[in-house]
Every structure is written in C-alpha cells, then in structure tokens.
Amino acid sequence: MIHTGPGNRPLFIMASHYIGRFAPSPTGPLHFGSIITAVASYADARAHHGEWLLRIEDVDEPRTVPGSADDILRTLEALGFEWSGEVMYQTRRKEAYAAALQQLEKNHLTYRCTCTRSELQALSDNSIYPGLCAHKHRPKNGDHAVRLRVADKPVSLVDAVMGPYQRHLKNEVGDFVIRRRDGLFAYQLAVVVDDAYQGITHIVRGADLLDSTPRQIYLQQCLNYTTPDYLHLPLAINSEGEKLSKQTCAPHIKTESTVLFDALNFLGQQAPAELEHESCEIIWQWAITNWQHTAIPKNNQLPPSGYIV
Ligand SMILES: [Zn+2]
C-alpha cells in the first residue's frame, strides 16, 4: 500500500526522528545494484521506525529513459516496499533549485564559467577545476555554467559503514558546477535541495556516491541546511570489478522474493536459508526485526549468480 498525501509536501514532515529515502535515476529498470540500495535504505528506516520516501532523480533529463520511472515503481511495489507520501520527481522541482541557486549567488558563492569541455580536458589534471573563470566576469547570456566557490579547508564526515572520510574540496575537486551550461541544474545541487525539503535525516546509498558527499555537505553548509547521517553501501560489481549498471549488462531483476533474500545476504544480514522462498512480507518482517547495519561489509562484491549476463 502506498500512503499518498495531498499537495506536493509529505504529511509527516517533522513527525519522525528518522526520514530515509531511495532516489533512483530513471535510466533503465532496477538491477541488483540498485535493489541493494533500496533494501538497505528501507530496512534501516523501518528498523528505526522511520519514514521512507521515494524520489525519482530525473534532473539529468537527457539520460532519462521513457517508462523507466514507472517500471521502477512497479518493481518496488512487487517487492513489497511501502513508501510514504507522493513520489517526488526532480523535473518538477526546478523553481526550488533556482531559488537555492539565487541564494548562493546573493552570498557571492557562485560565478559564471564559460570553459568548454575540450578546454578543461586539455588541462594537466582535468579532475580538479583550477578556477579559470573565478575572477572573470562572464556575461550572463545563458551560455555558461555556474560554479560554486569551495572553501580552502577539508570537509569530513563519519560514514556509518565506511568510517571517517574527508575531501579537501579546493585541492581535490575545485569549484564545482551547480548549474550546467545546457541550463539544467547539476545533480549535486538538486539532491541537496531535495534532501533538505523532504526533511531527510538518514541517507543510505551506494559507495560510488561517497566521493560526492563532501561536496553535498559543503552545499548544505552554504545553504544553512542540516547535514543528515550517511551510510554508504558496498557496490555489486562484475568480475572485472566494475559497478553493475545498465552498461555492464546487469539484467532486469525479477520481482521475486528471492531477490530480497539475495540482497539481504549481500548486505551481510545472514538471512536463514528457509526464508529464501517465503513471501516478500515474511522476508521483510525478518529483515526489519533483525537488521544490523554493523554487519554490512565495506568491500565491493560480486552478486550471487544470475544477476550478471
Ligand atoms: Zn570557466
């Protein structure tokens, strides 16, 4: 059952000490890697008697695959996930992102950047933006990205699985893009604005996003938002060590309780063997009662057989 609230704001904001979320991108059907994140975020929220929200991260519109958002929702329903409130879609949140951008501009934390991709690729280390446009006044004609000025100090967190983690944004990342040259808002800005709007207190997601987390914490600080707790999960990888994705041919997961069972074991939860062929409802009962985030391994792993073509 899905609890839907009227309007676009969930009913229970402030009502819970734990508000978690699952935020897939609609770039294809859920695969085993994304199911792991869904299972962990849901079990952790429910084990804390918290709420669990769903957000479709379709901010990067050119990457959206038509129909996949609905496909994802159907898969989650079939696997027995229950979310609170209405599903949030980032494509309907552009005014909120524009307001956040304006606030950052007003505080002189942004600048316009006209560097092209090929100009940046020609730099000796193109993973760190060296601030080429930081002190130039580029015209506001739309043909520019907007970058956030980062601070010259480390941003750190203590992740619930991965432990202490930090990034010195100025030395290791550089001023980063919050609105793209094509006019779309960057993922980093959208996710931070949405997490704050939805009152998210706990973020459970894949370790591929750990590297983004200091940027997001810095943005939260710039916007006077509260920083949630973070838990980053090991990734399901293929035999070449690559993250499972549409690109690495992870097949469309089956809507069977076996998938839940396999995901729980991937997450170190040691579900008893007799649970494997039980209903989703029974598996969830066990998972929520017995959930231990301390059992989640740090290292990326191969999924059980059958999930990679
Ligand atoms: Zn530039």
Side-chain angles (χ1 to χ4, degrees):
M1 191 179 72
I2 300 161
H3 312 283
T4 49
N8 59 3
R9 193 167 180 127
L11 288 167
F12 44 79
I13 292 288
M14 307 305 289
S16 175
H17 67 288
Y18 186 118
I19 302 178
R21 47 61 154 200
F22 177 55
S25 297
T27 53
L30 289 183
H31 52 77
F32 190 69
S34 35
I35 286 290
I36 288 163
T37 303
V39 166
S41 63
Y42 189 72
D44 201 58
R46 289 287 182 255
H48 287 88
H49 309 287
E51 300 284 349
W52 188 73
L53 311 189
L54 208 50
R55 180 195 312 149
I56 299 294
E57 294 201 328
D58 54 359
V59 68
D60 191 353
E61 292 175 60
R63 288 185 63 230
T64 294
V65 174
S68 67
D70 288 342
D71 186 77
I72 288 169
L73 299 186
R74 276 195 300 273
T75 301
L76 292 172
E77 272 188 291
L79 289 168
F81 289 87
E82 295 178 1
W83 53 93
S84 302
E86 293 180 358
V87 178
M88 176 180 276
Y89 290 82
Q90 291 187 319
T91 41
R92 300 174 193 165
R93 298 270 302 147
K94 289 176 186 173
E95 281 177 27
Y97 308 147
L101 182 65
Q102 208 174 29
Q103 189 183 334
L104 296 167
E105 279 170 351
K106 214 172 74 186
N107 293 332
H108 310 289
L109 287 165
T110 65
Y111 59 87
R112 295 189 282 274
C113 169
T114 54
C115 297
T116 62
R117 191 173 294 236
S118 54
E119 280 168 350
L120 295 177
Q121 275 166 353
L123 300 170
S124 57
D125 181 354
N126 62 30
S127 68
I128 303 167
Y129 182 69
L132 300 175
C133 295
H135 302 291
K136 298 181 176 152
H137 293 282
R138 304 297 190 195
K140 195 173 184 174
N141 58 9
D143 190 21
H144 57 76
V146 177
R147 287 183 185 271
L148 183 71
R149 293 182 199 276
V150 297
D152 193 2
K153 61 178 183 190
V155 176
S156 49
L157 68 141
V158 179
D159 186 84
V161 168
M162 300 298 167
Y165 185 82
Q166 78 170 36
R167 275 268 176 272
H168 191 291
L169 295 182
K170 193 160 187 87
N171 298 345
E172 297 179 83
V173 180
D175 300 334
F176 59 92
V177 171
I178 52 174
R179 205 211 62 171
R180 298 167 15 171
R181 198 172 177 151
D182 60 9
L184 293 174
F185 292 98
Y187 161 75
Q188 306 290 359
L189 180 67
V191 72
V192 163
V193 171
D194 290 342
D195 284 333
Y197 178 77
Q198 293 189 296
I200 303 299
T201 60
H202 292 73
I203 295 179
V204 176
R205 61 186 182 186
D208 51 327
L209 287 165
L210 185 57
D211 179 62
S212 288
T213 306
R215 271 174 279 175
Q216 293 173 15
I217 292 174
Y218 177 67
L219 258 171
Q220 289 154 4
Q221 292 166 353
C222 292
L223 290 162
N224 287 320
Y225 296 160
T226 308
T227 291
D229 288 352
Y230 286 95
L231 188 162
H232 286 85
L233 303 163
L235 304 177
I237 50 173
N238 63 20
S239 53
E240 276 82 56
E242 298 163 330
K243 183 196 168 198
L244 289 197
S245 68
K246 275 67 75 178
Q247 290 74 33
T248 50
C249 300
H252 187 180
I253 63 108
K254 294 183 188 79
T255 53
E256 291 167 359
S257 52
T258 308
V259 176
L260 293 182
F261 179 84
D262 288 341
L264 288 168
N265 283 334
F266 185 95
L267 291 161
Q269 301 300 303
Q270 299 183 334
E274 61 268 24
L275 214 58
E276 181 169 2
H277 300 293
E278 291 288 355
S279 66
C280 291
E281 196 186 344
I282 302 272
I283 294 180
W284 277 126
Q285 263 171 25
W286 183 90
I288 292 162
T289 309
N290 294 282
W291 177 250
Q292 287 196 41
H293 83 259
T294 49
I296 300 171
K298 283 187 185 187
N299 297 330
N300 298 339
Q301 311 154 57
L302 291 168
S305 61
Y307 293 101
I308 304 179
V309 171

